[in-house]
Amino acid sequence: MLQISTGKFFDDENMRKHDDKFVFYSNVILPINLETVSPLISVEQVESGSVSCYVVSYQLITEVDPIIVKCGNQDFIAQFILAWAFYFDCVAKTQKELVQKICREKKVSTYDQAAAAEISPKTVELGKRISLEEMNAFKCFLDSLMNVNRSCYKSTIAAIKIIDDAKETLSMNFDLGYSTLVYALESLSQKHDGYVPEWNHYDDSIRRKIEPIFNEMEEGHSNSIKESLIEGKQFKLRKRFESFINNNLDEQFFKEYLGENAKTLRRSYLQRCLLNLYQLRSSFVHELKPLDVMLSSPHSPLSDYIVRFGEPYFTFTGINRLARAVIINFLNKNSTNDVETIFWTRETSSVVIAEMCASTWIHNPQSFNENKINKWFTEYINMLNRKNVVEQQKIMNKIKEDFDRYKKPFRSPAIHYYWLYNANHNHSESSWQKFMEKHHIYTGNSFHFFVVIVYLYRKLSFLNNEGEVPADLDDFDTAYSEYNKKRFHKSGLSLSAFTEAALLCAAANNALEKRDLSRFSKYLSLAIEESASNLENSKLISQALKNQEEVDINKYFDVQQSV
């Protein structure tokens, strides 16, 4: 909401402006009050000291909406505080006690590995004074944050949030805080880089071992293997990470004086530090291997790096300073004046997007099309389970009118939905039966068919001119397997646990009739795994499995599925 409140996404006549205030606390002291224009913000320091209190007056901008009057305040507040804490490399929270806790100078609990002041002293320095120059630079940073596109903004805020979390966990879990900082940069690098892998970028030690083998092969074959190696996910992740940092780090980073007895990172050490950094992070995340205890040692907390057995490693201060420099340069490089359109209500945590109950839309033919047939069919089945069906005759009429225009994959779901609804609610009418006869070639050969016959006849069998015919279990297995593959597709069929278990029970009864006890046990075991949430039916199925007897399907359906 911070970027949205610049108003850049809305037309002037559609803007709705809300003036408000909030209070937060930080371990920094400003020389004068801070003012920004876009978004409109005024920061007044009302109490100074080791932890200062700030009152922020701001203008929240939203778009005129017929339902929502005002929302997004909490997002605005959180994002501004994150930007403040990130740029000033400090701690900022809405609770004074939390700032004091994070910035404590000594360990106060046995759970503390070290005080944050011993690991990153500049970040948690109490009463840290901000110069006028730094304050003006913060306003420039805020401008650059507002001027990137929406995707860059959201990625940057997410990365800054992760960095803030790292500061908060620093004293209690150094390994987690350190690795979290790396993850912040890694997540940003995966979304916003143009890295193209090259063989020369591959690990030197491995490259030296296999180059002689490649020299003995045909060039075409060796090039194919090289391409496969450099396209490997882990290699690309690490090289993207390194490339992103290199592309967004300027020479000023290596020239900054950090103070007496503090070592600024040498440019010649950067690549090795990044390699070691990524390996440390990977070892911690994938192998739960603790980081070297010396990285959190207070002997050199102000330095960018330490050297262990000839290898340079970033300190927490170093990786924190690196992340800050990289993100600031990234924003400066990605400024844009492009006009974007956003759905602002989806950009705020204050609005919950909920799916409407099926009873409010299932009767409406204007909302129905071939891509939604499985959704309608599923919800109709759920209504049958709850014994509370909303009238859908207009949908049936639309299926009848549009059927010949449906793409072939949607005709089978449509005809089975049409069949089941009309057989249940229009049984005595002849028009729908004539339609079914005309399009009977689309019945069967899908999981929808088995759903229909179980709901019509309470068994896995169907009626034809020869009488009752048990369904072929091989066909059922094929259809069930195909159903499971596609159930989470955008237009796929996804049935409730109640329905799925019912079909498996019906299939088990067929298997028992044929004395196929292996299939019988398999179907009922699957049914129990699907219906565990329904205690009564789960017991019914378990009893049938134990006694090797049929499941009473009528009794199963008598247990009304919970809404």
Side-chain angles (χ1 to χ4, degrees):
M1 289 303 296
L2 190 63
Q3 188 188 42
I4 290 173
S5 290
T6 60
K8 63 189 286 185
F9 301 108
F10 309 136
D11 296 329
D12 290 344
E13 61 272 17
N14 292 329
M15 285 186 195
R16 178 174 281 164
K17 299 178 180 180
H18 316 270
D19 294 326
D20 214 332
K21 293 184 179 183
F22 69 90
V23 175
F24 78 100
Y25 300 86
S26 183
N27 60 316
V28 298
I29 299 174
L30 293 185
I32 58 174
N33 291 345
L34 187 147
E35 308 275 348
T36 67
V37 176
S38 183
L40 190 60
I41 299 172
S42 174
V43 183
E44 179 186 1
Q45 184 174 283
V46 296
E47 180 184 313
S48 64
S50 58
V51 176
S52 297
C53 177
Y54 295 93
V55 175
V56 181
S57 302
Y58 68 98
Q59 187 175 81
L60 178 75
I61 296 179
T62 60
E63 191 174 28
V64 173
D65 188 275
I67 298 174
I68 299 168
V69 176
K70 179 182 178 183
C71 71
N73 298 63
Q74 293 306 313
D75 296 305
F76 184 103
I77 294 168
Q79 290 166 16
F80 176 79
I81 292 175
L82 285 173
W84 174 287
F86 169 78
Y87 189 82
F88 290 133
D89 188 22
C90 66
V91 178
K93 303 290 178 183
T94 54
Q95 296 172 294
K96 184 176 183 178
E97 295 77 11
L98 187 53
V99 177
Q100 292 171 328
K101 180 182 177 181
I102 296 171
C103 296
R104 58 188 180 270
E105 296 174 332
K106 296 180 180 179
K107 292 192 291 183
V108 295
S109 167
T110 55
Y111 296 106
D112 288 349
Q113 293 180 346
E118 297 176 312
I119 302 170
S120 186
K122 284 189 175 181
T123 301
V124 297
E125 179 187 346
L126 291 168
K128 180 166 65 173
R129 294 193 173 276
I130 301 300
S131 68
L132 191 60
E133 183 181 0
E134 288 173 314
M135 197 173 79
N136 290 331
F138 169 71
K139 291 195 284 187
C140 292
F141 163 73
L142 211 56
D143 286 341
S144 65
L145 182 60
M146 298 304 105
N147 290 334
V148 294
N149 65 38
R150 190 62 184 166
S151 175
C152 281
Y153 175 82
K154 291 196 288 186
S155 298
T156 303
I157 287 293
I160 291 174
K161 173 66 168 67
I162 294 169
I163 293 170
D164 199 66
D165 291 342
K167 296 175 186 176
E168 195 165 337
T169 60
L170 190 54
S171 62
M172 296 184 65
N173 192 329
F174 173 80
D175 290 6
L176 180 60
Y178 188 94
S179 299
T180 300
L181 270 180
V182 184
Y183 173 65
L185 281 174
E186 185 184 15
S187 64
L188 203 54
S189 71
Q190 303 311 313
K191 298 174 184 176
H192 304 283
D193 82 309
Y195 174 69
V196 178
E198 297 178 15
W199 175 242
N200 289 336
H201 294 164
Y202 210 77
D203 186 86
D204 285 341
S205 60
I206 298 176
R207 202 152 43 87
R208 283 196 298 269
K209 291 177 183 178
I210 58 179
E211 280 285 10
I213 301 173
F214 286 156
N215 291 337
E216 297 176 2
M217 299 172 61
E218 291 184 14
E219 186 176 355
H221 291 162
S222 64
N223 286 340
S224 296
I225 296 173
K226 289 176 182 178
E227 287 176 8
S228 298
L229 289 171
I230 64 176
E231 285 295 327
K233 185 176 180 181
Q234 284 305 117
F235 171 72
K236 290 179 74 174
L237 285 174
R238 179 172 64 82
K239 296 308 294 186
R240 275 182 166 175
F241 173 73
E242 293 174 0
S243 174
F244 179 77
I245 290 174
N246 279 305
N247 291 338
N248 291 288
L249 205 57
D250 58 22
E251 60 183 23
Q252 188 58 39
F253 177 82
F254 302 98
K255 295 179 179 179
E256 185 174 341
Y257 177 67
L258 300 183
E260 191 175 350
N261 299 322
K263 295 184 291 185
T264 302
L265 182 68
R266 297 164 58 180
R267 181 180 281 277
S268 58
Y269 276 19
L270 175 62
Q271 290 307 116
R272 195 65 181 183
C273 276
L274 290 177
L275 174 62
N276 290 336
L277 180 67
Y278 200 83
Q279 289 176 340
L280 284 173
R281 175 258 179 208
S282 297
S283 295
F284 176 72
V285 172
H286 301 299
E287 303 172 31
L288 298 180
K289 185 177 179 180
L291 305 185
D292 191 319
V293 70
M294 291 302 292
L295 290 174
S296 61
S297 174
H299 77 283
S300 186
L302 293 175
S303 294
D304 280 341
Y305 69 99
I306 62 171
V307 177
R308 293 281 288 153
F309 304 106
E311 290 286 342
Y313 295 91
F314 278 113
T315 61
F316 185 91
T317 294
I319 183 62
N320 184 38
R321 195 170 79 87
L322 178 81
R324 184 175 179 276
V326 166
I327 290 175
I328 290 172
N329 286 326
F330 167 73
L331 293 174
N332 290 334
K333 288 182 178 181
N334 285 278
S335 178
T336 179
N337 293 318
D338 292 347
V339 178
E340 293 181 273
T341 301
I342 65 167
F343 296 101
W344 73 274
T345 54
R346 299 180 186 178
E347 303 276 344
T348 170
S349 60
S350 302
V351 176
V352 177
I353 306 298
E355 190 170 2
M356 297 293 288
C357 176
S359 61
T360 64
W361 49 259
I362 199 167
H363 61 282
N364 184 4
Q366 293 180 344
S367 303
F368 181 81
N369 59 52
E370 62 179 11
N371 293 301
K372 297 179 180 178
I373 291 171
N374 278 321
K375 183 177 181 179
W376 254 252
F377 183 68
T378 300
E379 292 299 340
Y380 171 59
I381 295 294
N382 291 340
M383 288 179 176
L384 288 176
N385 294 337
R386 293 191 293 266
K387 301 176 176 62
N388 185 17
V389 177
V390 173
E391 190 267 333
Q392 298 157 48
Q393 189 56 49
K394 290 181 180 179
I395 305 298
M396 298 303 110
N397 295 341
K398 187 166 186 180
I399 290 176
K400 192 174 180 179
E401 291 170 8
D402 297 346
F403 188 83
D404 291 335
R405 291 191 291 272
Y406 288 161
K407 294 175 184 174
K408 194 171 182 180
F410 298 111
R411 292 186 180 183
S412 177
I415 202 69
H416 286 99
Y417 177 24
Y418 184 87
W419 175 14
L420 183 59
Y421 182 87
N422 283 287
N424 279 323
H425 307 289
N426 300 311
H427 182 72
S428 60
E429 296 181 13
S430 60
S431 60
W432 73 269
Q433 296 179 18
K434 291 178 181 178
F435 182 79
M436 287 295 304
E437 289 173 5
K438 180 180 178 181
H439 300 288
H440 73 278
I441 60 170
Y442 296 107
T443 60
N445 300 320
S446 75
F447 202 58
H448 300 76
F449 172 73
F450 297 105
V451 175
V452 171
I453 61 175
V454 167
Y455 272 78
L456 288 180
Y457 310 121
R458 296 297 190 255
K459 58 178 69 174
L460 207 65
S461 61
F462 55 95
L463 301 175
N464 62 16
N465 296 331
E466 299 176 3
E468 184 176 315
V469 180
D472 187 289
L473 292 181
D474 288 337
D475 291 343
F476 176 82
D477 287 345
T478 300
Y480 188 50
S481 175
E482 192 66 19
Y483 158 77
N484 276 316
K485 289 178 184 177
K486 296 180 178 179
R487 67 184 307 163
F488 297 114
H489 288 192
K490 188 175 181 180
S491 300
L493 176 67
S494 185
L495 300 168
S496 68
F498 182 92
T499 300
E500 231 171 282
L503 268 70
L504 289 164
C505 288
N509 289 349
N510 281 26
L512 184 64
E513 188 176 341
K514 295 181 178 181
R515 304 307 300 168
D516 188 344
L517 296 182
S518 174
R519 262 181 170 156
F520 172 79
S521 298
K522 181 186 78 171
Y523 291 145
L524 288 194
S525 295
L526 287 171
I528 292 169
E529 292 171 357
E530 290 296 329
S531 64
S533 300
N534 189 319
L535 184 59
E536 193 170 341
N537 276 340
S538 185
K539 287 180 179 179
L540 180 70
I541 300 167
S542 297
Q543 189 68 29
L545 178 60
K546 180 181 178 181
N547 298 334
Q548 290 191 350
E549 62 186 17
E550 281 194 356
V551 179
D552 188 335
I553 300 294
N554 287 316
K555 187 175 181 181
Y556 179 96
F557 275 100
D558 284 341
V559 179
Q560 186 171 340
Q561 187 186 39
S562 60
V563 178

